[in-house]
Amino acid sequence: MMNIVISISVIIGFIYLGFSTRNILKQRVEFFDEMDRFINEFKVNVSFIQLGLNDFIKNFQTRSIDFNKLLKMFVSDGDIESQKNFYLCITPAELDIIKQFFASIGKTDVDNQLKELEFFKTQMDQLNKKSKNAYSKYASLSIKLGVLLGALVVIILLWLFRVGVFLCR
């Protein structure tokens, strides 16, 4: 009976790890989708509406939790440096690009801002494409690997119980 409980617990744990990995990949896609939407809407703002950067950020509605945290941190601190390890879904190199983006927007005239926005949009499109490719490749695979690894660990544990390595009484 104890073997069954341990086996089910191990499989559930590995499946949970698979779902967690899939969720991180999904958060990456959502983050870069929101970054792309932010750049597009900010281009419209620069061209026509001309709200200040902080006002624009405060009015921007985002669906990505991580992107929302990034915007709140930028508005409150004016800096993104302090939370480098806070984001699970983006790498430090990607965070450096994002910091460079936020450091440069709102600092020049309209024409130069539009050029910078177009430059960063190209970079974000590449990152967005990479994140979507990774999600399509690895999201379902991570869950399947979780099930398989869980089953493998259960088989090994059951074998060890049978051989007598673990003496349960």
Side-chain angles (χ1 to χ4, degrees):
M1 181 64 170
M2 185 66 149
N3 293 347
I4 294 172
V5 172
I6 291 173
S7 300
I8 291 172
S9 299
V10 167
I11 290 176
I12 288 173
F14 276 94
I15 291 172
Y16 176 78
L17 289 174
F19 274 104
S20 297
T21 303
R22 187 199 67 177
N23 286 339
I24 289 172
L25 293 170
K26 185 177 180 183
Q27 287 174 349
R28 266 181 74 73
V29 170
E30 290 173 353
F31 182 90
F32 288 116
D33 281 344
E34 288 298 298
M35 188 72 188
D36 184 53
R37 193 170 68 86
F38 179 85
I39 291 172
N40 288 334
E41 289 185 22
F42 193 68
K43 281 171 60 176
V44 170
N45 176 61
V46 168
S47 298
F48 303 109
I49 303 167
Q50 297 182 348
L51 278 175
L53 178 60
N54 284 341
D55 291 333
F56 177 79
I57 290 173
K58 287 177 186 173
N59 292 329
F60 185 77
Q61 299 295 317
T62 180
R63 294 176 290 266
S64 168
I65 294 169
D66 281 333
F67 192 71
N68 191 34
K69 289 176 186 174
L70 180 118
L71 291 179
K72 284 182 180 177
M73 188 183 342
F74 182 77
V75 169
S76 65
D77 298 342
D79 190 20
I80 301 171
E81 184 76 34
S82 60
Q83 302 277 337
K84 197 170 222 175
N85 297 323
F86 183 68
Y87 305 101
L88 289 177
C89 69
I90 56 176
T91 65
E94 293 165 344
L95 186 59
D96 288 341
I97 293 170
I98 293 166
K99 285 178 3 189
Q100 184 181 1
F101 168 72
F102 278 102
S104 68
I105 61 174
K107 305 275 193 263
T108 60
D109 63 344
V110 173
D111 290 335
N112 286 331
Q113 277 191 45
L114 291 173
K115 288 177 187 175
E116 285 182 24
L117 288 170
E118 199 57 44
F119 170 73
F120 282 109
K121 176 146 178 49
T122 304
Q123 288 184 320
M124 289 304 136
D125 286 344
Q126 291 172 353
L127 293 174
N128 198 358
K129 185 177 178 182
K130 280 182 12 183
S131 71
K132 286 180 179 177
N133 285 339
Y135 182 77
S136 66
K137 282 182 186 177
Y138 302 121
S140 64
L141 180 66
S142 65
I143 296 168
K144 293 172 188 171
L145 280 175
V147 171
L148 287 173
L149 288 174
L152 179 66
V153 169
V154 165
I155 290 169
I156 292 170
L157 285 176
L158 290 175
W159 178 76
L160 291 174
F161 279 122
R162 188 169 204 69
V163 171
V165 172
F166 299 116
L167 298 175
C168 296
R169 297 185 203 266

